Amino acid sequence: MINKKVANISEALKGVSDNMTFMFGGFGLSGIPENAIAQLVKLNIKGLTCISNNAGVDDFGLGLLLQQKQVKKMISSYVGENDEFERQMLSGELDVELIPQGTLAERCRAAQSGFPAIYTPAGYGTEVAEGKETREFDGKMYVLEHAFKADFAFIKAWKGDAAGNLIFKGTARNFNPNMCGAAKVTVVEVEELVPVGTLDPNQIHIPGIFVQRIFQGETYEKRIEQLTIRQRA
Amino acid sequence: MINKKVANISEALKGVSDNMTFMFGGFGLSGIPENAIAQLVKLNIKGLTCISNNAGVDDFGLGLLLQQKQVKKMISSYVGENDEFERQMLSGELDVELIPQGTLAERCRAAQSGFPAIYTPAGYGTEVAEGKETREFDGKMYVLEHAFKADFAFIKAWKGDAAGNLIFKGTARNFNPNMCGAAKVTVVEVEELVPVGTLDPNQIHIPGIFVQRIFQGETYEKRIEQLTIRQRA
Amino acid sequence: MTENMLDKNGIARRIAQEVKDGYYVNLGIGIPTLVANFVRDDIEVEFQSENGVLGMGPFPFEGEEDADVINAGKQTITTLPGASFFDSATSFGMIRGQHVDLTILGAMEVSQDGDIANWKIPGKMVKGMGGAMDLVASAENIIVAMMHTNRAGESKLLKECTLPLTGVGCVKKIVTNLAVIEVTAKGFKLLERAPGVSIETIKSATEGELIIEGEILEMNI
Amino acid sequence: MTENMLDKNGIARRIAQEVKDGYYVNLGIGIPTLVANFVRDDIEVEFQSENGVLGMGPFPFEGEEDADVINAGKQTITTLPGASFFDSATSFGMIRGQHVDLTILGAMEVSQDGDIANWKIPGKMVKGMGGAMDLVASAENIIVAMMHTNRAGESKLLKECTLPLTGVGCVKKIVTNLAVIEVTAKGFKLLERAPGVSIETIKSATEGELIIEGEILEMNI
């Protein structure tokens, strides 16, 4: 068994530096790598390009990096719950590339799986396709989209072992599995690091080969963005 | 819950006919849809195009369809354990298209996921790439390979429920998940059909949306092709 | 207004009639989310959310919410027996691969060619397209749920969209507070009127080509 | 022959020295499979098989075999703690995405440009390429394990391959019963001799350009 466990968060983020490109798992605030983000805030590295479906909220998630103006560019599909984000974008401080959500997922998977590019119908005929190669297959139009190139992927899983095997929970799974192995270094934080051999080999969502470093996160706030409940009858 | 359970094997294979294109899960004899194959032998439909990693052995798996000369064309990556196959191929009775294993898997996944084609490095510079479009990305050459188009996919899973949710076991998983939803109709046989709600939603390998019909197979021989053991000390 | 324009729930109620037995359905944020409340009890439907869940149930009771189980609107949800969770690539595989039977989403503008705009107002609102571009580019069956006019009273059913597009030639049907409309090769074809709403009202609220053939019945809701 | 040409286990033993701590390794059928038996005990290595398993262990004891747990050679296997199973698309994602560190496979011919042929003899043998084309097209680090000559005594290290290719310019290193050879821009560079085997023997068994620089030591196995 090849050991991926690191001693602490400093070791987990060893090698991060200014002007790098990072991937962050998560959808909204669900399944985001809270501990890695906190450490990046602490390190205060700048000029980052962040690939993440969303941009957090003002005071949580990637919003924390935006607050400190650590982010040069965001590549996201939806950024609608963040006032500071909007301010930086409209003022031109922040470069923003909005891309379809399925395109985002698949450009990650392409990087993970060694595909240079993919053809997707999403965005054809829209400004997303401007300047991009398009092509017809069987009477339908597709846009050529390239695999991402990232330095680090920051992933949040539910459980994992020292071999780097991962299991996700609920919709906190989202982009996390697709980003594993899609960057030069994949850093995973888990809620619970379990002994090797306790995860059923049939039930592992991401095999350890896609992971370089793993650690158990110290705390998880797991903030709920839109608490929505129904009344008991 | 949308019910995918069919009453019996006849209903499961309703609509199959001569000259159709079928996908079969399985690697060697592991994870093959034994019951569907037996029924296809019984129905004795002819002129079939079969997409399957292997072609079975003389007297089991897809070899049974070959024996009855039901197969017009095989699309496979490795066909090396079947004398009748070799005889039919060398005599010209059988049309054979050999393609790289990873290409086979991904052409299935492309069909499943709505991608018209993919770029893979496999086969570049070989006869597999003859007549195909090739292209350079970042200094490396790739071959354009198209999504499969199939009428039926025959899948073998370990457990499943009436909603069509599937779980596979061990390396019997192989191509099975990649072929689900990759044909017009996906027919799944399982060793055990479990009540809806008993499978953990986190641990489902293939969600029911990719499945049209499901049934519990009557018997499974699960023949071992290369029994290999070590001596006890 | 003296006419009975529909409210959001009315629109959702009418759209629910388009949901058939055995459908997998993706519901967008806003009015589309309400559709789930009005689907007939005697048919089987499963709701997909693009953030990675199939088989969504109602919102949770207080205290039973789980930060790890949300829908694409980031709302806490529950799941029904037979549900499954999956990653984003698989989720959009379902969508792009046309395994989802029906997509219901909101719009800021729809053109008579079936173009849709719903993700950006240059210089004003830039929230992003989320999964909408994938949904409209892939789905065979797309229904737009929206008000017939915007807050300024201007038609949202146009000859051509003025806002940046989400997709081209993809919308098949529109249900508004005033009407049910089919997008045809010749333009917007009026299928049904909201109860008590006159054809004249619909005409004046529709900037694009409106086709009226035969008797236009009121919605049966 | 009086010289100590290696047997298959000898070749596997030498190749095992190329396997480093922390490597994920894909072993082909035949001699490559034997490599697992000779990897040092004090390093951590995981074996991947392209049919969908990572963390393969030894063959099972009699009675403990499972038809659902096999390797790419269709042999029954076991798994070690930390193992995982996955589908074929994911498996080739590992390979194509260069997550597998080392690929060891057999060959019928290798050219001095690093081309490899191992899947077809026109008119004679047509078993198929299996995963070999994906492996050689993707892997950064490919070692070929083979006999230096074929049964007819002809060299398998050629100026140009005569058989249909499996991949072009991909082989980096070759370990045969006679020698360890590196594929360089100038041709086959002799790195080591099998114990007791003369340079002259290797030369005469190598049809392609053989580069001999400095002292050529015997393998240390």
Side-chain angles (χ1 to χ4, degrees), chain A residues 49-60:
Chain A
T49 296
C50 297
I51 299 165
S52 166
N53 189 59
N54 310 92
V57 293
D58 278 335
D59 63 342
F60 201 58

Side-chain angles (χ1 to χ4, degrees), chain A residues 27-31 53-54 76-81 85-86 89-90 98-103 105-106 109 119-128 140 156 158 169-178 191 222-233, chain C residues 29 49-53 58-78 85-90 92-93 96 98 119-120 122-139 164-168:
Chain A
F27 184 97
L29 300 179
S30 186
N53 189 59
N54 310 92
S76 302
S77 89
Y78 192 84
V79 293
E81 359 268 358
F85 182 97
E86 200 159 1
M89 179 171 56
L90 294 175
L98 291 169
I99 61 173
Q101 196 174 139
T103 300
E106 204 63 24
R109 192 217 174 228
Y119 285 107
T120 177
Y124 175 75
T126 77
E127 65 180 56
V128 161
K140 184 164 179 156
K156 157 70 174 25
W158 183 36
K169 176 168 160 268
T171 55
R173 192 184 312 189
N174 56 65
F175 292 85
N176 281 298
N178 308 128
E191 288 182 55
K222 301 221 281 186
R223 195 187 292 188
I224 291 175
E225 215 163 330
Q226 302 284 344
L227 177 62
T228 314
I229 54 171
R230 69 184 146 138
Q231 297 308 312
R232 288 175 200 274
Chain C
I29 298 168
S49 193
E50 64 265 29
N51 58 317
V53 55
F59 296 121
F61 291 119
E62 192 171 354
E64 293 180 0
E65 68 274 7
D66 182 345
D68 293 331
V69 182
I70 63 172
N71 65 17
K74 283 105 178 176
Q75 296 171 307
T76 44
I77 55 159
T78 63
F85 297 112
F86 36 85
D87 63 74
S88 298
T90 302
F92 283 92
R96 198 184 307 100
Q98 303 189 331
W119 74 282
K120 185 180 184 182
K124 275 191 190 166
M125 191 280 295
V126 194
K127 291 183 183 301
M129 67 292 283
M133 283 194 180
D134 303 273
L135 283 158
V136 302
S138 305
L165 295 183
T166 308
V168 291

